[in-house]
Amino acid sequence: MDQPVKLAKVSRVLGRTGNTGNVTQVRVEFMEGGNTTGRSIVRNVKGPVREGDILCLLEWEREARRLR
């Protein structure tokens, strides 16, 4: 089952979320051919992440709810 994937670059780390703080909320910008496009969304990432990291997103239409 081949699903298309999209690459996204972490532009900003927004904060920690989850019951124990093990999920990081980040803003990512989508990449096309190595260059970032203007489109960006907020996603939740589990595991270590920092600005400049490249994420491989299997699902890219849903946006995470903002932290309160």
Side-chain angles (χ1 to χ4, degrees):
M1 186 166 124
D2 292 328
Q3 290 182 332
V5 296
K6 283 207 179 195
L7 297 179
K9 185 175 184 179
V10 177
S11 61
R12 199 168 148 211
V13 176
L14 300 175
R16 306 285 278 188
T17 186
N19 285 341
T20 58
N22 59 350
V23 177
T24 308
Q25 199 165 66
V26 297
R27 178 167 295 281
V28 296
E29 292 182 358
F30 291 106
M31 300 178 69
E32 301 262 339
N35 298 325
T36 58
T37 63
R39 186 164 168 241
S40 67
I41 62 170
V42 175
R43 291 299 299 253
N44 292 332
V45 180
K46 190 168 184 177
V49 66
R50 59 183 173 193
E51 288 186 21
D53 285 354
I54 306 291
L55 303 178
C56 183
L57 302 178
L58 298 176
E59 197 280 321
W60 56 87
E61 293 178 0
R62 285 191 311 182
E63 187 164 357
R65 284 188 235 146
R66 296 299 306 255
L67 290 172
R68 296 179 193 178

